[in-house]
Amino acid sequence: MKVIMISGSPHKEGSSRLALREMEKVFAAEGIESELIEVGAGPVSGCTACGACKKTGVCVIGDRVNEAIEKLAAADALVVATPVHYASPAGALLAFLDRMFYAGGSKFAHKPAAAFASARRAGTTASLDVINKYFTISQMPIISSTYWNMVYGSCQADAAQDAEGLQTMRTLARNMAFLMKAIALGKERYGLPEIEPHQRTNFIR
């Protein structure tokens, strides 16, 4: 089994990376492979609403978004990590997720997903709310922990002192591993739920 981890942090060795390592240790102990995709350090183009992906299934911009879609489609679960910027997820990460889910969201149904945020002080729960909406519109079960999924610290050394936050990450990973295995067993015995053709409506008459 495999988990795809997407980090929106521009710092490869920041608070988000420390938290991801806590999760990686648990996944490894559970026999689950993890792969990290870092999107925070470089420029990421936003969605242009061209609609071409609805015909092709891929984004016409043609960067790492398409690679991430295929990796997640082949994997079993998703973790998204974000720093907090102005009480919201990192901009590059949102641009990446907009395109990834718009072009490939139909391939992610029934894969467990979890987001967590790292911050110096505030904005974590608002950031989690934004990212969780990508999951719920794509039929992805959201994983919870013993507290909201967050770690505190403006740098890795600070976050290393957040004992509760790091424990939250470990519990989050254990809960995700359990649900991944439970879904695999359920799929083998019962199959996955039927997905009806999408009925698109609007409120303009």
Side-chain angles (χ1 to χ4, degrees), residues 177-195:
F178 173 79
L179 189 57
M180 289 170 66
K181 294 174 182 179
I183 288 175
L185 288 173
K187 180 179 178 180
E188 183 179 329
R189 183 164 182 177
Y190 303 110
L192 292 174
E194 176 188 358
I195 299 178

Side-chain angles (χ1 to χ4, degrees), residues 56-181:
T56 65
V58 296
C59 181
V60 296
I61 296 175
D63 57 8
R64 290 187 300 159
V65 165
N66 290 326
E67 180 183 357
I69 289 171
E70 294 309 312
K71 286 184 176 183
L72 181 53
D76 303 283
L78 171 67
V79 173
V80 176
T82 186
V84 172
H85 295 168
Y86 284 93
S88 183
L93 176 66
L94 291 180
F96 192 93
L97 294 178
D98 279 352
R99 291 169 47 223
M100 186 179 88
F101 276 85
Y102 200 73
S106 62
K107 301 176 182 179
F108 307 154
H110 310 126
K111 298 178 188 289
F116 75 82
S118 61
R120 181 191 67 83
R121 192 167 178 86
T124 48
T125 53
S127 296
L128 293 175
D129 184 57
V130 171
I131 297 177
N132 283 341
K133 287 181 171 64
Y134 291 101
F135 307 153
T136 56
I137 202 172
S138 302
Q139 301 187 70
M140 302 176 78
I142 295 178
I143 307 301
S144 60
S145 186
T146 49
Y147 196 76
W148 294 288
N149 304 337
M150 60 188 72
V151 292
Y152 283 100
S154 56
C155 64
Q156 191 170 112
D158 290 343
Q161 300 179 64
D162 182 8
E164 184 176 7
L166 296 180
Q167 182 183 61
T168 299
M169 295 300 103
R170 294 191 297 271
T171 302
L172 182 65
R174 290 189 192 98
N175 289 346
M176 176 170 274
F178 173 79
L179 189 57
M180 289 170 66
K181 294 174 182 179

Side-chain angles (χ1 to χ4, degrees), residues 5 7 11 24 26 63 77-78 84 86 131 156 173 182 197 200 203:
M5 294 176 154
S7 174
H11 304 294
E24 288 170 346
V26 174
D63 57 8
L78 171 67
V84 172
Y86 284 93
I131 297 177
Q156 191 170 112
R200 291 184 61 86
F203 300 106

